[in-house]
Amino acid sequence: MTEPRRRGAFLVDVVVACAILSVGLLALAGYFLNAVRSGRELDHWEQASYLAEDRLEQLRHDCGEQWAAADFLAAAGAETIWRGGVEYSRVTVLKNRPDLDADGHLLEAEVRVNWRERLIPRSVELVTYFAVDTGLDELR
């Protein structure tokens, strides 16, 4: 008479063990999905940073050693770039900074890269300064 009880108890143990295992596997799958999502977000941030840095390097290269303000100011604008199925909008803003240099030889270059991540707008912004129409030693 005790044998049927043992078989039923063993079956209950197996069902409880399977339930505990499935809850643990679901939690593990959630962590895995979160890690994949975080990796994808990091890839987008990295790509946007690269695009902003690349634009600043283009400005340094294209304007050559003459460093004329007119050349820089003509390079301002916006463009759309697709990378890995993501649309990045890269905006270049160039402006004189008379508050930092009264003679107007200091030019601020701001590059902002915008994109959407799960319907949330994201952006990376890099800012640097160029000495134009003069040498660096003449800025003081």
Side-chain angles (χ1 to χ4, degrees):
M1 204 173 226
T2 57
E3 280 185 36
R5 244 190 224 168
R6 284 187 197 168
R7 287 185 187 160
F10 180 71
L11 184 60
V12 170
D13 291 343
V14 169
V15 169
V16 169
C18 287
I20 292 172
L21 181 64
S22 64
V23 169
L25 289 176
L26 282 174
L28 190 61
Y31 286 128
F32 177 74
L33 289 175
N34 193 20
V36 168
R37 184 181 307 133
S38 296
R40 191 175 307 127
E41 288 176 9
L42 180 62
D43 184 46
H44 294 163
W45 282 97
E46 181 181 6
Q47 191 64 242
S49 298
Y50 169 76
L51 290 171
E53 184 180 358
D54 182 55
R55 181 65 181 137
L56 290 176
E57 288 297 323
Q58 286 175 1
L59 288 173
R60 285 187 192 102
H61 181 266
D62 291 346
C63 293
E65 294 184 15
Q66 296 173 2
W67 301 94
D71 294 336
F72 275 108
L73 294 174
E79 59 186 323
T80 301
I81 301 168
W82 285 88
R83 293 278 171 93
V86 178
E87 178 183 8
Y88 296 94
S89 171
R90 181 167 67 182
V91 179
T92 304
V93 177
L94 300 159
K95 56 188 168 185
N96 286 320
R97 290 297 304 263
D99 56 326
L100 298 176
D101 178 42
D103 295 330
H105 295 298
L106 193 62
L107 189 72
E108 181 181 270
E110 174 188 313
V111 178
R112 180 184 299 264
V113 178
N114 303 308
W115 76 99
R116 288 196 170 274
E117 181 114 24
R118 292 181 294 155
L119 301 177
I120 300 170
R122 305 279 188 196
S123 68
V124 169
E125 179 180 329
L126 294 182
V127 178
T128 192
Y129 296 90
F130 292 99
V132 294
D133 300 325
T134 188
L136 282 175
D137 52 338
E138 298 174 22
L139 279 178
R140 295 184 186 252

